[in-house]
Each structure stands twice: as C-alpha cells, then as structure tokens.
Amino acid sequence: MTSAHSYLWGEFQWYMPAVIAKFDSRAAKFFTGFSFMLATIGNQIAAGTYPFSNDISGLCPKYINIFRATLFISLFCVVSTPWNIIKNAAGLLAFLSGYSCLMGPLAGVMVSDYYLIKKRKLNVHELYHDHGIYHYSHGFNWRAFLAFFIGVGPLLPGFAKSIATNLNVGGAWKIYTFAWIFGFHVSLLSYYVIVTYVSGIGEALIDVAVYPPQKGDAVAVDIESGSEE
C-alpha cells in the first residue's frame, strides 16, 4: 500500500486514513473506510478483546467474567492513548520494536520449558488444578521470571535510545537491532540452565504425557457398576 501510494502520488504514506483521503471518488472513500471499520472491529474482538477477557477471567473467575474483563480492557485502551503511538512512523516503529523486546524472551521461556525441559510431556488434567504439579512456589515459577528478565535486561538500553535518540548507550544499541532473536535465545538458554543445573521443577517432569480422551478412543466400561473407566 505504501509503495502504491508512492507510485501514484510521489511520496510514501503508511497511514491508511491519509491514503483514503487522497481518493477522488467519495464512494471509494466510503466503502474503503467502511471495510476497514469492519476489519478493525472483527480483529479486535477475535484477537484482542476476547483473548484478554478469557485470560483475565481465568485469574479470578469468582469476581471477573468475560463481560467485566471486556469493560476493563475497553477502558484501558482509551487511557493508554493509542493514537499517540500511530501519529507518526517513528513512534510506531519504536513501539513495535519495544514490543519485540518482551515477546522474544517470553517465547524463549515457553519453548525451552515445553520442548527442552518437559520434552512435550504434559498432564493436561493437572493444568486445571490450582495446587497441582504445576503450582510451583506459591503459584509462581520464579525460574521462568528470572530467565525472562535475563533476556529483557540487555535490550532495555537500546529500547530507551529508540525513544530518546540523544541517549548514549554504547554497543547496547546494536543488540537492540535484533531484539527478538537475541531475547528469544538468551531466555531459552537461561531457563534451560537454571532448571537443569540450578533448581529443578520436580514433579512437573513426568515420564508419559497425559491427555484427555480423544474422539474414537476406546472407553473401558465396568459392567457391574455401569461406570466408565
């Protein structure tokens, strides 16, 4: 879209409302704007509002349901003033780069835990027990938090410079240019080392994965009692 705008009007433009404003046809402006409105609503419901509400309600289901969590995120979206993020390309790119500083280490910890430590063996039933084998220490896996911050820490100086360009952070700026890859690998290796050589996760490691019954699986029936096993 940006390249097409440069071809037609001689300048690069990434902000879609500004592109639509250049259209000569009022009908084209209306239908394009209406399409983007529908796409935005659908995207926010499917990828923004509902996932957030589902997660937050799971943290405290006694007091928070899907509707209340939706009201909370709706209020937060206004308070965070997102229009300041997209008012210029530099601000948007800085925001997206900062986002990768968190997503890379987060993904690294998850991949390390599931593939390297647990070797894809989970007891799905225990995931829904508040004091099951995945409860860890007082409900928090401190190893994961430590590995996460080890990956995020070296990226913070570069992130600060992306916001305030006059800061002198030395070579840390070069690390920030590949923030997601750096954070992912550092957190992945950190979590693996911590769990393997410093503090294990004990009963969370199981020999055989336990999954719920799948469609088509044979179900044993006790003929005398009539109960399923």
Side-chain angles (χ1 to χ4, degrees), residues 161-222:
K161 182 175 177 59
S162 70
I163 299 175
T165 56
N166 59 335
L167 289 178
N168 182 15
V169 297
W173 174 252
K174 296 181 180 180
I175 300 176
Y176 182 73
T177 57
F178 52 98
W180 196 97
I181 297 176
F182 176 87
F184 174 84
H185 287 93
V186 169
S187 292
L188 182 146
L189 293 175
S190 298
Y191 185 78
Y192 179 80
V193 171
I194 293 171
V195 174
T196 305
Y197 300 104
V198 179
S199 176
I201 54 178
E203 60 181 357
L205 295 179
I206 58 178
D207 296 326
V208 180
V210 180
Y211 298 113
Q214 302 296 313
K215 184 178 181 180
D217 291 349
V219 179
V221 179
D222 188 334

Side-chain angles (χ1 to χ4, degrees), residues 20-33:
I20 296 175
K22 293 287 187 68
F23 293 172
D24 295 327
S25 171
R26 293 179 61 186
K29 291 180 179 180
F30 171 80
F31 286 110
T32 305

